[in-house]
């Protein structure tokens, strides 16, 4: 191995020349080429390993799988093997899933959405700390997360002088490459080298030397099309051919369609009232089924002009809007699209490349930019309470769902912040509108509009008492409205119509009976 | 009155010349001069009136008092008289106090701290909506708060072409002058016209035209030393001589001193660990007794080099640090100092003016700047829970104390965010460390360090289970530690050691018995 490393350092420009002239023909690589297993063998128990990936898109896959296999062998041999895992956000089965199943993750940040990892976290087997995604890179650089031993980065192209072109996400990879002592690259041949130019890599300086981020509109480019890393840090390359494991597009249903229509109608009314400028403003949209339906509805609304996206994740629905001309330009930190949509993009790269830009999550989610550009933010809530506080992360206040992700970065700084959810969950047994959220991720000061399939509660300039009435009457499901009214109607004083004794009575009733229906407020202490 | 207005519009530069040459000698004013009573008579029931003021400093005082008197007369005559009151933040007795006592405030935003107004809010007599202070000006411009009929601005100088030099605060006055249909000026002769140059007025454009705020260090000036307003909007000037009603400096006590020492020691250790750059970083500090003690302790710590302040409110303790050379430069939106300290500043304006800058609250609290400059934020909590969520606003989840103020602007975007509080309140009957805060203003994702007189809990990169242990063992008062341990020790699973049934048992016990001591966890459902 030491020899291979030494050889890697001796390779020079002339060996790389064939890469430049004939990029798609196998050529000598400028760095040692290892198998995933050999690369994984370099990583030691207890180390901190950062991986590319923001959603399954662009996540390192081969080395994590090999690490999981190695962890299993080590554990079978009675030896400890666990690492700290840091990524841009969630990843897919090949990274979080396999490593969690192998019991190989000692701690994890800043976000996750894998069922095996979630189970390990909620069982207390994996330490998880949940972070605002925009703050991860700077906190890594500030040293708050300690030493980073490795960056494992998926690339669509690499040069001898350490230029790494990412694949379908950027995430926090520039910072990981910057701070990690050593870098491993997964050169994933599934992605064309023609992706070069899709990314815009800009990493701010740290205080006291930080300067304004010179981005004044969604489509400006301010950085380089590659991540620059000191080539001496690149230990090896692993060649792969491994598509992102992005789940197929979830079709909308009448509930998500109605949520989408309600959001679109609200935005069109704001435009008519001149509270949104005539040219409209960029949209940020969360991830998932509701987000797809909302974007589709906004896209087909006749009164909403073509707009830009300034978001974290570019989903299938955004690509549809780009194709139709309704979305002029989309900025994201990941291109998380289903296999057929990615195929369509790659077959029409000349069309899509000038219309899509992938940036570091520190840029897509940056408070400075979200506020400057005036982003309309649309995110999904798990539950919303009568004051407009939103729970995005915890089930019944205790179990982690995924994490706060970028929702806080956008909500707090948006031009106008919207949260969507269906009014009921678990087949109607749970009301997503509750007296008090069991965990507060976004508080009443930052949540401006709540939308369910039933309607819209515009909370701007409303007192908590007024918000309670609006949210229940406009957003709650009819089945729960009376119970919710009973909770706050009799409270006349105070800034907030809260009765602590009964604040979680609906939650407790669910925990005891499996349903929020039939709560007894008097017994609950109201 | 109509005549006076017409006369005002005819005044020209030559009439103003004596103001420029002989500023302290009475001279013809370039706008109609009215009594406060006559000016107040222009304001109609139901109108929205914005006033200068951020804390009692720089608040309009004469017209609000006259309005309060008028409201009383109207109410005695059986006629309605209430207005919407918008300011930079809190104000003093002359504005919030008198108007609240007169029942003249229909609604109020974004912050308050007056006991009479607080009582009216919590009695449901005054509508109050609590806003992040940095967002107020832009939301006013976006039209989210409706039409602004009046801006009533305290000035230390005015020119014929509509240049208004504020007094001891800037707050949101530039935006109020910008959006209000008509402007009334209280020219307060208590303040010298030589204040010109102390202020730096910059109001950003709105999306989609907003540009980077070109401020890269604390002491840069980026705007004008005055608020420019269309002189045609200036309806009248009221001459006053009215000091700010700032309460005298509250001396520190052993508890606040120890909190201060703990913060200073923590920051010095961060500096030694290279997690704060060697030149240190600017400090933001909340308002009040603890904040004063913390700043004094940071100022006298031998390992902490001279630093800048980038804060909302410049209090007495900051002026002490400027005098001693430990604070190099202080940016704030208000100079809220006790009368003797203001006297000292005014008598030594040549020394202080190059070391103090008052800016709009939109700038002092701007996420873009707080994050760029790498501000160390230090704010005060009412209560803190085991996950690190902070309540800054509500007493027992229901009654408003003051409001969130700027704490969210700073905490969310700071380089490192610190919350301080004494471990007990109400003579030891209340633990400020509770299982779950009764209202969440700052959540676990944004709160990094908690400090009481007992010690420091560094929550960075900790799971909620670990945070619970740190907060209880390092910060809670010894009298409550065992009870708090009982709450979370038996919870083994879940991301967060929350048991909803018992989350507010300590609060409920206080509401029933007047003390948080002696909670029965089993009866509470644990």
């Amino acid at each position: 191995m030491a020899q291979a490393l030494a050889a890697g350092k001796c390779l020079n420009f002339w060996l790389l020349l064939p890469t430049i002239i004939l990029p798609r023909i196998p050529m000598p690589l400028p760095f040692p080429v290892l198998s995933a297993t050999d690369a994984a063998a370099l990583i030691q128990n207890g180390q901190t390993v950062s991986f590319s990936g923001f959603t399954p898109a662009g996540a390192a896959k081969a080395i994590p799988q090999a690490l999981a296999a190695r962890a299993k062998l080590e554990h079978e041999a009675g030896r400890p093997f666990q690492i700290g895992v840091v990524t841009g956000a969630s990843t897919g089965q090949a990274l979080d899933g396999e490593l969690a199943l192998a019991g190989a993750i000692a701690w994890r940040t800043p976000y996750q959405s894998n069922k095996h990892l979630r189970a390990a976290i909620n069982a207390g087997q994996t330490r998880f700390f949940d972070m605002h995604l925009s703050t991860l890179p700077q906190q890594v650089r500030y040293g708050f997360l300690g030493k980073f031993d490795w960056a494992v980065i998926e690339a669509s192209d690499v040069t001898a002088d350490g230029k790494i072109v990412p694949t379908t996400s950027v995430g926090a990879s520039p910072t990981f490459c910057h701070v990690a002592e050593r870098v491993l690259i997964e050169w994933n041949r599934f992605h064309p080298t023609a992706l070069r130019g899709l990314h815009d890599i800009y990493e701010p300086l740290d205080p006291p030397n930080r300067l304004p981020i010179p981005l004044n509109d969604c489509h400006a480019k301010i950085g380089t099309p590659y991540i620059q890393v000191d080539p001496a840090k690149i230990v090896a390359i692993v060649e792969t051919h491994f598509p992102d494991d992005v789940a197929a597009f979830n079709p909308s249903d009448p509930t998500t369609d109605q949520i989408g229509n309600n959001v679109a109608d609200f935005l069109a009314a704001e435009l008519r009232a001149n509270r949104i400028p005539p040219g409209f403003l960029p949209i940020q949209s969360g991830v998932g089924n509701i987000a797809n339906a909302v974007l589709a509805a906004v896209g087909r609304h006749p009164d909403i002009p073509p707009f830009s996206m300034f978001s974290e994740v570019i989903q299938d629905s955004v690509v549809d809007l780009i194709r139709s001309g309704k979305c002029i330009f989309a900025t994201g930190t990941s291109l998380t699209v289903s296999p057929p949509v990615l195929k369509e993009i790659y077959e029409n790269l000349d069309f899509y490349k000038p219309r899509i830009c992938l940036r570091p999550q520190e840029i897509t989610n940056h408070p400075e930019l979200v506020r400057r550009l005036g982003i309309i933010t649309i995110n999904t809530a798990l539950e919303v309470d009568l004051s407009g506080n939103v729970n995005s992360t915890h089930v019944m206040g205790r179990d982690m769902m995924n994490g706060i992700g970028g929702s806080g970065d956008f909500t707090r700084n948006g031009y106008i912040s919207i949260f969507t959810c269906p009014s009921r969950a678990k087949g109607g047994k749970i009301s997503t509108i509750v007296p008090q959220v069991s965990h507060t991720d976004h508080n009443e000061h930052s949540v401006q509009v709540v939308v369910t399939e039933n309607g819209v509660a515009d909370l701007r300039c409303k007192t908590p008492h007024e918000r309670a009435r609006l949210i229940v009457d406009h957003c709650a499901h009819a089945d729960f409205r009376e119970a919710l009214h009973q909770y706050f109607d009799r409270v006349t004083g105070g800034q907030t119509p809260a009765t602590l004794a009964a604040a979680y009575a609906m939650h407790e009733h669910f925990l005891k009976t499996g349903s929020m229906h039939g709560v007894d407020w008097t017994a609950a202490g109201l």
Side-chain angles (χ1 to χ4, degrees), chain A:
Chain A
M1 183 58 219
Q3 251 183 326
L5 283 177
K9 287 181 186 163
C10 296
L11 287 166
N12 67 22
F13 175 80
W14 300 107
L15 284 175
L16 186 68
L17 200 57
T19 323
I20 298 159
I21 301 172
L22 302 164
R24 302 301 296 164
I25 291 171
M27 82 302 287
L29 284 160
F31 303 101
V33 179
L34 296 183
S35 69
T37 303
D38 285 349
L42 300 170
I43 295 170
Q44 302 307 315
N45 176 47
Q47 291 191 319
T48 294
V49 186
S50 55
F51 295 94
S52 67
F54 193 107
T55 75
K61 302 171 191 78
I63 295 173
Q65 285 187 322
L67 270 172
R70 183 170 163 217
K72 280 182 195 160
L73 290 174
E74 293 287 317
H75 297 164
E76 281 163 16
R79 289 188 293 268
F81 191 89
Q82 284 196 320
I83 56 172
V85 174
V86 188
T87 60
S90 61
T91 67
Q93 177 60 23
L95 201 168
D96 277 330
E98 296 302 325
L99 286 171
L101 283 172
I105 308 182
W107 58 271
R108 180 77 174 91
T109 202
Y111 185 80
Q112 57 78 39
S113 66
N114 179 274
K115 64 180 176 181
H116 303 296
L117 179 52
R118 183 185 298 128
I121 289 166
N122 290 322
Q125 292 157 359
T126 289
R127 297 178 56 234
F128 176 62
F129 43 96
D130 187 19
M131 294 176 71
H132 296 297
L133 297 183
S134 80
T135 66
L136 174 77
Q138 69 178 27
Q139 291 197 29
V140 168
R141 293 194 303 270
Y142 297 168
F144 294 177
L145 285 85
K147 184 165 81 84
F148 274 52
D149 299 290
W150 294 95
V152 182
I153 307 294
E154 184 179 88
S156 63
D157 204 355
V158 190
T159 68
D161 59 348
K163 293 180 170 51
I164 300 172
V165 181
T167 60
T168 43
S169 72
V170 178
S173 295
T175 297
F176 295 156
C177 288
H178 172 171
V179 301
E181 295 201 337
R182 287 176 288 179
V183 177
L184 290 167
I185 294 171
E186 290 190 12
W187 192 339
N188 188 346
R189 304 292 192 169
F190 177 84
H191 302 283
T193 52
L195 280 193
R196 191 182 179 115
L198 185 73
H199 313 87
D200 184 47
I201 310 299
Y202 176 95
E203 193 181 18
L205 297 172
D206 288 330
N209 303 312
R210 190 172 291 171
L211 297 170
I213 301 171
L215 189 86
N216 301 339
D217 56 61
C218 291
H219 60 269
K221 296 212 172 174
I222 60 174
T224 56
Y226 49 78
I227 299 166
Q228 178 67 60
V229 56
D230 175 0
K233 295 209 299 190
I234 300 178
V235 172
I237 288 179
V238 174
E239 290 200 80
T240 73
H241 191 285
F242 204 150
D244 296 329
D245 49 343
V246 174
F249 181 56
N250 230 341
S252 64
D253 60 41
T255 300
T256 58
D257 281 345
Q258 192 52 48
I259 293 172
N261 291 338
N262 290 345
V263 171
D265 288 344
F266 169 79
L267 291 175
E270 287 295 295
L271 198 55
R272 281 193 300 275
N274 288 317
R275 284 190 295 266
I276 293 178
F280 214 64
L281 289 168
I283 289 181
Q284 174 265 336
S285 170
V287 180
N289 204 16
I290 297 175
N292 265 320
V294 167
L295 275 184
V298 172
R300 70 176 169 257
H301 199 290
D303 297 346
I304 296 177
F307 55 86
S308 294
M309 297 283 302
F310 196 86
S311 208
E312 266 178 6
V313 176
I314 300 174
Q315 292 194 112
D316 282 10
S317 52
V318 179
V319 179
D320 292 343
L321 294 174
I322 293 174
R323 202 184 303 114
S324 73
K326 191 75 187 234
C327 176
I328 304 160
F329 192 86
T331 272
T333 193
S334 82
L335 184 60
T336 307
V337 295
S338 58
V341 173
L342 191 63
K343 185 163 180 285
E344 137 96 12
I345 292 172
Y346 283 179
E347 286 172 359
N348 299 280
L349 214 45
D350 287 349
F351 174 79
Y352 286 105
K353 222 159 86 171
R355 291 171 173 82
I356 292 175
C357 181
L358 298 185
R359 309 178 193 270
Q361 70 197 70
E362 190 171 9
I363 300 301
T364 55
N365 292 27
H366 204 295
E368 173 172 340
L369 300 176
V370 175
R371 186 137 163 186
R372 179 185 306 152
L373 299 174
I375 310 294
I376 295 167
T377 71
I378 311 171
N379 291 285
T380 309
L382 282 181
E383 56 180 9
V384 182
D385 74 20
L386 301 186
S387 296
N389 300 297
V390 164
N391 173 11
S392 302
T393 59
H394 278 67
V395 177
M396 297 290 146
R398 189 156 163 171
D399 283 346
M400 177 53 57
M401 175 61 85
N402 298 333
I404 193 165
S407 56
D409 297 323
F410 291 106
T411 295
R412 176 68 66 89
N413 301 295
Y415 184 94
I416 188 165
S417 66
I418 300 172
F419 274 92
T420 59
C421 61
S423 66
R424 296 185 305 175
K426 292 268 175 203
K429 288 175 187 156
I430 284 181
S431 173
T432 57
I433 310 296
V434 292
Q436 184 145 332
V437 287
S438 62
H439 188 273
T440 304
D441 294 294
H442 309 286
N443 64 39
E444 43 140 334
H445 310 94
S446 302
V447 177
Q448 295 182 300
V449 183
V450 176
V451 180
T452 68
E453 76 280 14
N454 296 309
V456 175
D458 179 356
L459 309 180
R460 290 173 295 176
C461 307
K462 302 295 191 306
T463 70
H465 280 270
E466 293 161 348
R467 287 180 209 154
R469 198 162 296 279
L470 277 175
I471 291 171
V472 172
D473 292 346
H474 292 200
C475 296
H477 195 278
D479 289 357
F480 290 104
R481 259 179 228 154
E482 196 187 324
L484 291 163
H485 265 288
Q486 284 169 3
Y487 175 79
F488 73 86
D489 275 355
R490 64 186 86 176
V491 183
T492 52
Q495 168 74 357
T496 295
T499 300
L500 295 182
Y504 294 133
M506 283 175 69
H507 295 84
E508 290 172 57
H509 195 68
F510 172 82
L511 290 168
K512 280 178 197 151
T513 69
S515 165
M516 283 187 176
H517 286 287
V519 63
D520 178 346
W521 289 118
T522 310
L526 198 65

